[in-house]
Amino acid sequence: QVQLVESGGGLEQAGGSLRLSCAASGRTFSNFAMGWFRQAPGKEREFVAAISKDADNIYYADSLKGRFTVSRDNAKDTLYLQMNSLKSEDTAVYYCAASASTYSPHWSRADAYMYWGRGTQVTVSS
C-alpha cells in the first residue's frame, strides 16, 4: 500500500503560481512512477503530468507544456507540481497517483495507477 496526501492547493489569481506537493508513505516511493491528474466540475479526470521513478522521463499534457513542471524528491518521498501562469481553466481538484507500470505510454491513463490521493482543490480567479 502507498498512502498519498496532496497539499498546496488554494485560491489564486489568474497569472499567479501554486506549488502542489504529494507526500507518500508506505511502500518505497522510488519504486513507482508518479502522475498528476485533475478533474474540473462536470468533466472527466484528465492527465496533467507524469514522472518516472528516477525522474529521467517526464511527460506533460500537451496543453500544459511550458506552464507546469513536475518533479520529485525520492529522499523526501514527495512529488511536486509547480504551476505557473495560472488560468481560470486550471480550476480543478488535483490528484497525485502512483503507478507500478514501467511502460511509459500508459502513464497518461488513469487506469495505469493503483494508488491515489484524495486530491487538493485549486481555484483560479479571473
Side-chain angles (χ1 to χ4, degrees):
Q1 288 280 355
V2 175
Q3 291 77 42
L4 302 172
V5 180
E6 302 93 339
S7 61
L11 177 63
E12 182 61 65
Q13 292 185 339
S17 298
L18 283 173
R19 188 193 197 200
L20 306 184
S21 298
C22 171
S25 61
R27 293 175 61 185
T28 305
F29 176 70
S30 58
N31 286 344
F32 294 89
M34 298 296 296
W36 285 101
F37 288 76
R38 67 184 185 183
Q39 188 166 17
K43 295 187 177 181
E44 294 187 353
R45 190 169 297 190
E46 66 171 347
F47 170 71
V48 172
I51 185 168
S52 62
K53 57 185 181 180
D54 53 7
D56 282 355
N57 296 291
I58 292 175
Y59 303 89
Y60 296 98
D62 288 342
S63 62
L64 300 175
K65 287 180 181 177
R67 293 197 300 121
F68 287 16
T69 302
V70 63
S71 61
R72 65 189 297 163
D73 185 339
N74 286 344
K76 295 183 178 179
D77 293 346
T78 303
L79 175 73
Y80 303 100
L81 183 69
Q82 178 68 42
M83 305 187 296
N84 298 329
S85 302
L86 285 165
K87 304 177 181 179
S88 58
E89 52 261 44
D90 294 322
T91 295
V93 178
Y94 284 72
Y95 300 90
C96 67
S99 174
S101 173
T102 58
Y103 186 53
S104 59
H106 282 174
W107 294 343
S108 62
R109 295 169 41 179
D111 61 5
Y113 296 82
M114 59 179 65
Y115 302 111
W116 291 82
R118 293 190 174 186
T120 185
Q121 176 70 48
V122 171
T123 302
V124 183
S125 63
S126 56

